[in-house]
Amino acid sequence: MSFTLKQSALTVSNSVFDKRSSITCRSLFLPCLNLQNNPKRTLLSLSKPLYISSFQSFNEKSVILCKAYEADKSPSTAAAEAKSEAAKSVKIGIYFATWWALNVVFNIYNKKVLNAYPYPWLTSTLSLACGSLMMLVSWATKIAEPPKINLEFWKALFPVAVAHTIGHVAATVSMSKVAVSFTHIIKSGEPAFSVIVSRFLLGERFPPAVYLSLVPIIGGCGLAALTELNFNMTGFMGAMISNLAFVFRNIFSKKGMKGKSVSGMNYYACLSMLSLLILTPFAIAVEGPHMWAAGWKEAVSEIGPQLIWWVAAQSIFYHLYNQVSYMSLDEISPLTFSVGNTMKRISVIVSSIIIFHTPVQPINALGAAIAILGTFLYSQVSDHVNYKRGCILVL
């Protein structure tokens, strides 16, 4: 079995190979492809040569993605496929730009509301209620296709919703006590929590590169916390609890949602509705209608009727930015999503500092930059360790 690379043509000498086959690439550009450890039986039957359309290297020494198409495809077909790929890239770019913009707007209005009306449990509840209502209306009017789900789906979703609820409330409590930028700097430390939980609770092992990537994350967050001018322990702990809760949300989601064919938009809609049911009784118990009414009267007297718009805006934009992020995850790889999430935090931190005139010391800014850089490095390293060395042929 061998690959022969002639100009742009890739020809396979044997017609069929299976999991016992071992292929040696003689080209200097392709590493060895070993299919012996492939758990699935792989069949490739070719009567015509394949033409290389693109190479993509994920890592200099690990993975090369090799895309090919059959020789009998017309140039117009190949051009149409290239145009389709370009359209997909544009679509993903629009998703990312919309996701970041909506997230920035949400954080601005959320902080405005919390400054004037410091009731984070109610604010969190309203965010979930608004999103749930929007999706119910969308399903009822057929704007969005309702998901086909059953009791098993809700059972699998329940632990995810519990973790999501805790993380959402904790982040809102944090932002009610400290600057938006500080909350997001601490929340950039979520990868460290992910590795710690996976290592000590799930028994997973990681290569040294992953652990090394945590050093700038932990060091940067610690430096930013120590030099924060308006440090508040409640705000700090809220962000830390949010990190831990979202790590468990991701773990529960991976374990419970395997094989569920629900779109990202509908998945988040169901998550919001179940989280709303979980959160509402706790919000009433912690704050309660009497505190909400008294605080609202005082806030309206100081801010005016525009407070209503602030509350509505933060609730609507919270759902929209989360919905778009889940829709993005349907279209991209986890690595691309992680990079996008890192860039999102940068846009939120910078915009909130500018809009709210948050005082920042140079050493504090350095800590934030180190933490975010560490998050970016972690996303790169953790993705590459999931790939085995070899050449991936995508037909």
Side-chain angles (χ1 to χ4, degrees):
M1 177 66 65
S2 63
F3 282 113
T4 304
L5 188 64
K6 294 183 178 180
Q7 294 180 352
S8 63
L10 179 67
T11 307
V12 181
S13 60
N14 292 30
S15 61
V16 178
F17 67 84
D18 59 25
K19 66 179 180 180
R20 295 167 301 194
S21 302
S22 179
I23 301 173
T24 302
C25 302
R26 299 298 182 185
S27 170
L28 295 176
F29 300 100
L30 298 177
C32 293
L33 175 62
N34 190 348
L35 300 176
Q36 292 177 347
N37 297 323
N38 189 355
K40 297 181 179 178
R41 184 177 181 87
T42 305
L43 297 178
L44 177 64
S45 178
L46 296 173
S47 58
K48 302 167 185 174
L50 296 177
Y51 287 89
I52 301 297
S53 63
S54 66
F55 284 102
Q56 183 179 357
S57 177
F58 290 95
N59 189 311
E60 292 181 357
K61 296 182 179 181
S62 61
V63 177
I64 295 177
L65 178 64
C66 173
K67 295 184 178 180
Y69 60 91
E70 292 181 6
D72 64 346
K73 284 191 176 180
S74 64
S76 61
T77 303
E81 290 182 354
K83 187 177 294 185
S84 177
E85 288 294 323
K88 183 178 179 180
S89 298
V90 172
K91 181 181 178 182
I92 293 172
I94 293 173
Y95 272 154
F96 268 33
T98 306
W99 174 22
W100 297 341
L102 292 173
N103 190 260
V104 168
V105 174
F106 158 71
N107 277 277
I108 291 171
Y109 278 107
N110 191 48
K111 186 60 178 176
K112 283 178 173 288
V113 171
L114 293 171
N115 284 342
Y117 187 61
Y119 294 94
W121 288 78
L122 175 61
T123 303
S124 302
T125 305
L126 292 176
S127 300
L128 296 173
C130 180
S132 299
L133 179 62
M134 289 170 63
M135 287 308 302
L136 287 174
V137 171
S138 298
W139 291 340
T141 57
K142 302 299 181 180
I143 295 176
E145 186 69 23
K148 296 178 181 179
I149 51 181
N150 52 27
L151 183 60
E152 292 301 318
F153 173 88
W154 292 107
K155 287 181 179 179
L157 187 64
F158 182 78
V160 183
V162 171
H164 178 74
T165 303
I166 295 172
H168 175 41
V169 173
T172 308
V173 169
S174 176
M175 280 190 275
S176 70
K177 299 295 183 181
V178 295
V180 174
S181 56
F182 181 69
T183 296
H184 279 273
I185 291 170
I186 301 303
K187 282 180 66 63
S188 67
E190 186 176 323
F193 285 83
S194 179
V195 172
I196 292 171
V197 170
S198 298
R199 176 66 185 87
F200 292 102
L201 294 185
L202 303 180
E204 295 183 15
R205 294 185 178 275
F206 301 91
V210 171
Y211 294 111
L212 288 175
S213 70
L214 301 182
V215 174
I217 295 176
I218 297 173
C221 289
L223 182 62
L226 290 173
T227 58
E228 175 65 23
L229 296 175
N230 299 311
F231 180 83
N232 179 278
M233 182 56 71
T234 301
F236 174 74
M237 291 305 299
M240 296 286 279
I241 292 171
S242 178
N243 281 339
L244 186 61
F246 284 142
V247 167
F248 278 104
R249 180 191 66 177
N250 296 338
I251 292 173
F252 293 145
S253 181
K254 289 178 183 177
K255 287 188 173 183
M257 301 309 297
K258 290 181 179 179
K260 306 294 183 181
S261 57
V262 178
S263 68
M265 180 176 64
N266 285 336
Y267 176 78
Y268 181 71
C270 295
L271 182 63
S272 294
M273 294 174 190
L274 191 52
S275 294
L276 176 62
L277 294 176
I278 296 170
L279 177 58
T280 301
F282 288 96
I284 294 173
V286 174
E287 294 174 347
H290 294 293
M291 292 179 63
W292 296 337
W296 182 261
K297 183 177 180 180
E298 182 180 351
V300 170
S301 65
E302 294 180 2
I303 304 299
Q306 63 179 336
L307 180 62
I308 300 174
W309 159 246
W310 290 0
V311 172
Q314 74 89 23
S315 300
I316 293 171
F317 284 108
Y318 172 79
H319 176 77
L320 291 179
Y321 100 76
N322 275 287
Q323 187 179 81
V324 172
S325 72
Y326 273 82
M327 291 168 65
S328 301
L329 193 55
D330 274 346
E331 302 287 338
I332 59 179
S333 68
L335 172 62
T336 306
F337 186 84
S338 296
V339 174
N341 200 43
T342 302
M343 299 304 295
K344 176 205 74 175
R345 292 209 191 281
I346 295 175
S347 63
V348 171
I349 290 171
V350 172
S351 62
S352 65
I353 289 174
I354 295 173
I355 292 173
F356 294 107
H357 305 288
T358 307
V360 179
Q361 294 179 320
I363 191 69
N364 185 265
L366 177 62
I370 293 173
I372 292 172
L373 175 61
T375 304
F376 177 78
L377 293 175
Y378 169 83
S379 67
Q380 299 290 312
V381 173
S382 63
D383 182 76
H384 287 311
V385 299
N386 294 326
Y387 289 94
K388 295 180 178 180
R389 293 188 177 188
C391 173
I392 302 175
L393 183 63
V394 180
L395 302 178

